[in-house]
Coordinates of all heavy atoms in Angstrom, one line a residue:
S192 N -2.2 -1.7 8.8 CA -3.4 -2.5 8.5 C -3.5 -3.7 9.4 O -4.5 -4.3 9.4 CB -3.3 -2.9 7.0 OG -2.1 -3.4 6.7
G193 N -2.5 -4.0 10.2 CA -2.6 -5.0 11.2 C -2.6 -6.4 10.7 O -3.3 -7.3 11.2
T194 N -1.8 -6.6 9.6 CA -1.7 -8.0 9.0 C -1.2 -8.9 10.1 O -1.6 -10.1 10.1 CB -0.8 -8.0 7.8 OG1 -1.2 -6.9 6.9 CG2 -0.7 -9.3 7.1
H237 N -4.8 3.4 2.3 CA -3.6 2.5 2.6 C -2.3 3.3 2.4 O -1.8 3.4 1.3 CB -3.7 1.2 1.7 CG -2.7 0.2 2.1 ND1 -2.3 -0.8 1.3 CD2 -1.9 0.1 3.2 CE1 -1.4 -1.6 1.9 NE2 -1.2 -1.0 3.1
G311 N 4.3 -3.4 -4.9 CA 4.9 -3.7 -3.6 C 3.8 -4.3 -2.7 O 2.7 -4.5 -3.1
G312 N 4.1 -4.4 -1.4 CA 3.1 -4.8 -0.5 C 3.3 -6.3 -0.1 O 3.0 -6.8 0.9
A313 N 3.9 -7.1 -1.1 CA 4.2 -8.5 -0.9 C 5.2 -8.8 -2.0 O 5.3 -8.1 -3.0 CB 2.9 -9.3 -1.0
A314 N 5.9 -10.0 -1.8 CA 6.9 -10.3 -2.8 C 6.4 -10.7 -4.1 O 5.3 -11.2 -4.2 CB 7.8 -11.4 -2.2
H332 N 9.9 -3.8 -8.7 CA 9.6 -4.3 -7.4 C 9.9 -3.2 -6.4 O 11.0 -2.6 -6.4 CB 10.4 -5.6 -7.1 CG 9.9 -6.4 -6.0 ND1 10.6 -7.6 -5.6 CD2 8.8 -6.3 -5.3 CE1 9.9 -8.1 -4.6 NE2 8.9 -7.4 -4.4
C333 N 9.0 -2.9 -5.5 CA 9.2 -1.9 -4.4 C 8.9 -2.6 -3.1 O 8.1 -3.6 -3.0 CB 8.2 -0.8 -4.6 SG 8.2 0.0 -6.2
W334 N 9.4 -2.0 -2.1 CA 9.1 -2.5 -0.7 C 8.8 -1.2 0.2 O 9.4 -0.2 0.0 CB 10.3 -3.2 -0.1 CG 10.2 -3.6 1.3 CD1 9.7 -4.7 1.9 CD2 10.5 -2.7 2.5 NE1 9.8 -4.7 3.2 CE2 10.2 -3.5 3.6 CE3 11.0 -1.4 2.6 CZ2 10.4 -3.0 4.9 CZ3 11.2 -0.9 3.9 CH2 10.9 -1.7 5.0
G335 N 7.8 -1.4 1.0 CA 7.5 -0.3 1.9 C 6.6 -0.7 3.1 O 6.3 -1.9 3.1
M336 N 6.4 0.2 4.0 CA 5.4 -0.1 5.0 C 4.8 1.2 5.5 O 5.4 2.3 5.3 CB 6.0 -0.9 6.2 CG 7.3 -0.3 6.8 SD 8.2 -1.5 7.8 CE 7.0 -1.9 9.0
T337 N 3.6 1.1 6.1 CA 2.9 2.3 6.5 C 3.8 3.3 7.3 O 3.7 4.5 7.1 CB 1.7 1.9 7.4 OG1 0.9 0.9 6.6 CG2 0.8 3.1 7.7
Q364 N 13.9 -6.9 -3.3 CA 13.0 -5.8 -3.1 C 13.7 -4.5 -3.5 O 13.0 -3.5 -3.7 CB 12.6 -5.8 -1.6 CG 11.4 -6.7 -1.3 CD 11.7 -8.2 -1.4 OE1 12.8 -8.6 -1.5 NE2 10.6 -9.0 -1.5
D431 N 10.7 -7.3 9.4 CA 11.0 -8.2 8.2 C 12.4 -8.7 8.4 O 13.3 -8.1 8.9 CB 10.9 -7.4 7.0 CG 9.5 -7.1 6.5 OD1 8.6 -7.6 7.2 OD2 9.3 -6.3 5.6
R446 N 8.5 -12.2 6.7 CA 8.2 -11.4 7.9 C 8.6 -12.3 9.1 O 8.4 -13.5 9.0 CB 6.7 -11.2 8.0 CG 6.1 -10.2 7.1 CD 4.7 -10.1 7.3 NE 4.1 -9.1 6.4 CZ 3.4 -8.1 6.8 NH1 3.1 -7.9 8.1 NH2 3.0 -7.2 6.0
Q461 N 8.0 -17.3 2.5 CA 7.9 -16.5 1.2 C 8.7 -17.2 0.1 O 8.3 -17.2 -1.0 CB 8.5 -15.1 1.5 CG 8.4 -14.2 0.3 CD 9.2 -12.9 0.6 OE1 8.8 -12.0 1.2 NE2 10.4 -12.9 0.0
K541 N -3.8 -8.2 0.9 CA -2.7 -9.2 1.1 C -3.3 -10.5 1.6 O -4.3 -10.5 2.3 CB -1.7 -8.7 2.1 CG -1.0 -7.4 1.6 CD 0.1 -7.1 2.6 CE 0.6 -5.7 2.3 NZ 1.7 -5.3 3.2
Ligands
LIG604 P1 0.8 -4.6 7.2 O1 2.1 -4.9 8.0 O2 -0.4 -4.7 8.1 O3 0.7 -5.5 6.0 P2 1.8 -2.5 5.6 O4 0.9 -2.3 4.5 O5 2.5 -1.4 6.2 O6 0.9 -3.2 6.7 O7 2.8 -3.6 5.2 C1 4.2 -3.6 5.4 C2 4.8 -4.9 5.2 O8 4.4 -5.5 3.9 C3 6.3 -5.0 5.2 O9 6.8 -4.9 6.5 C4 6.6 -6.3 4.5 O10 6.4 -7.4 5.4 C5 5.5 -6.4 3.5 N1 6.0 -6.0 2.2 C6 5.8 -4.8 1.6 N2 6.4 -4.8 0.4 C7 6.9 -6.0 0.2 C8 7.7 -6.7 -0.8 N3 7.9 -6.1 -2.0 N4 8.1 -7.9 -0.6 C9 7.8 -8.6 0.5 N5 7.1 -8.1 1.5 C10 6.7 -6.8 1.4

Side-chain angles (χ1 to χ4, degrees):
S192 45
T194 307
H237 189 196
H332 198 183
C333 306
W334 172 95
M336 55 195 301
T337 305
Q364 277 68 15
D431 284 354
R446 284 180 180 235
Q461 185 189 281
K541 296 185 192 184

